[in-house]
Amino acid sequence: MAALGWLTPRRRSATARSVLAGEASAEAARKSSQEAQEAAQAAEQEPEFPVIGDDRAAAFFDLDNTVMQGAALFHFGRGLYKRKFFETRDLARFAWQQAWFRLAGVEDPEHMQEARDSALSIVKGHRVAELETIGEEIYDEYMADRIWPGTRALAQAHLDAGQKVWLVTAAPVEIAQVIARRLGLTGALGTVAESVDGVYTGKLVGEPLHGPAKAEAVRALAAAEGLDLSRCAAYSDSHNDIPMLSLVGHPYAINPDTKLRRHAREKDWRLRDYRTGRKAAKVGIPAAAGVGAVAGGTAAAIALSRRRR
């Protein structure tokens, strides 16, 4: 048995260093437990959000890179190319712009301006009904599989609470309405292209619904619907939408670009980034704790030349 003596723990007197280590470990455990209890108590005291049955609250969601990966305009452009709305040589520019948007996650003003001008020229003379039908088909082909599940869950939480949910986007209103309908949302605010007798003229009504224009659209809709903006929520990935996010009582930064991420942290808005695989946020947290493309007309095409020259 003597040979097994090394298995028997030896009694040693505690040194000053071992006493310090033990006390530090106990203090860390106690502090961690206390913090966990405090967090649990705070969660119990926080009001549930969205508030069920609050008919003066609504939610406003940006579309590109917030609800859907990439830009709706460019996805629609792929569908138009497939349907021979423009020629093969133009596809390279479309592919580059879409790749840039997906990698950078932000809108480039020059790309968007070019896309808008090209879209207007492409849809000129086409009937609104024709492009609406194409929009339904293209949603199934290129967009349905690009909806962010996390953002979709946030929108559904508002719907389940009995609130209206609107898309707010610089994409053509007809495209936005197709997406909103397919997702079961209330409706959409988007860029409006002029049409006469159901035919696109190649002009916009006003300007693209972008940046401050989104905030004005939300403000106007809230007034018409009798909403209290302090009880409403807004979601976006872009710093261009800070005016819209600042308008509501519950702003959320979703898949934020660098500028929006920084602004959201300064303002203590909620941040959620589904590009990294993080799970969707539980919505029952007060937003105070932190929670595009431009085109005229339903063509929502890409930076392309006219269909016919």
Side-chain angles (χ1 to χ4, degrees):
M1 297 296 292
L4 299 179
W6 62 276
L7 291 175
T8 305
R10 298 180 181 179
R11 294 186 178 182
R12 295 180 178 176
S13 299
T15 64
R17 291 175 63 86
S18 63
V19 170
L20 180 61
E23 291 177 347
S25 178
E27 175 61 19
R30 186 196 64 78
K31 184 177 180 180
S32 176
S33 176
Q34 182 177 354
E35 290 176 347
Q37 291 177 2
E38 291 175 350
Q41 292 173 357
E44 292 177 357
Q45 295 172 359
E46 290 170 348
E48 195 168 321
F49 183 80
V51 179
I52 296 176
D54 186 356
D55 59 3
R56 296 200 64 199
F60 302 93
F61 284 79
D62 169 56
L63 176 58
D64 295 344
N65 224 35
T66 301
V67 171
M68 181 176 64
Q69 300 175 45
L73 176 69
F74 297 139
H75 292 314
F76 198 75
R78 295 174 64 189
L80 293 181
Y81 168 75
K82 179 180 178 181
R83 291 161 176 78
K84 310 300 182 183
F85 269 70
F86 46 83
E87 300 179 12
T88 304
R89 66 176 180 272
D90 298 313
L91 191 60
R93 279 200 293 174
F94 153 69
W96 157 246
Q97 290 184 337
Q98 173 63 1
W100 189 94
F101 181 85
R102 293 197 61 165
L103 289 172
V106 295
E107 300 165 351
D108 180 276
E110 292 184 5
H111 288 179
M112 297 305 129
Q113 179 68 36
E114 189 179 3
R116 184 194 72 182
D117 294 342
S118 297
L120 288 172
S121 69
I122 290 173
V123 301
K124 183 178 180 180
H126 285 274
R127 299 198 64 81
V128 175
E130 174 192 4
L131 275 298
E132 288 176 341
T133 299
I134 292 176
E136 295 281 353
E137 298 171 356
I138 291 177
Y139 177 84
D140 291 327
E141 294 170 2
Y142 298 109
M143 301 178 184
D145 292 338
R146 290 176 170 81
I147 303 300
W148 291 109
T151 312
R152 180 68 186 88
L154 292 173
Q156 189 60 49
H158 286 280
L159 293 171
D160 291 344
Q163 297 177 6
K164 293 183 178 180
V165 178
W166 304 83
L167 290 181
V168 187
T169 174
V173 66
E174 293 88 351
I175 299 288
Q177 288 172 345
V178 167
I179 297 172
R181 183 167 59 254
R182 291 302 190 90
L183 294 177
L185 308 183
T186 306
L189 298 167
T191 297
V192 178
E194 181 183 79
S195 64
V196 176
D197 296 328
V199 177
Y200 289 113
T201 66
K203 299 179 182 179
L204 288 182
V205 177
E207 63 180 16
L209 198 68
H210 188 260
K214 283 188 177 182
E216 293 306 314
V218 168
R219 195 192 307 274
L221 182 62
E225 294 277 320
L227 301 174
D228 181 348
L229 286 172
S230 69
R231 290 147 69 172
C232 293
Y235 303 77
S236 178
D237 72 297
S238 174
H239 69 279
N240 293 316
D241 289 338
I242 288 177
M244 178 180 74
L245 294 170
S246 301
L247 195 63
V248 301
H250 302 277
Y252 287 66
I254 306 295
N255 305 327
D257 61 32
T258 301
K259 291 183 179 179
L260 178 58
R261 184 181 295 274
R262 181 169 57 248
H263 186 85
R265 284 174 173 167
E266 291 174 354
K267 297 295 184 179
D268 201 24
W269 293 350
R270 284 194 63 80
L271 289 159
R272 285 290 175 258
D273 197 331
Y274 301 122
R275 296 167 299 187
T276 63
R278 298 173 187 171
K279 294 183 178 180
K282 179 182 178 182
V283 182
I285 311 176
V291 231
V294 177
T298 196
I302 55 178
L304 305 164
S305 58
R306 287 178 180 271
R307 181 183 179 188
R308 296 177 181 173
R309 304 189 181 191

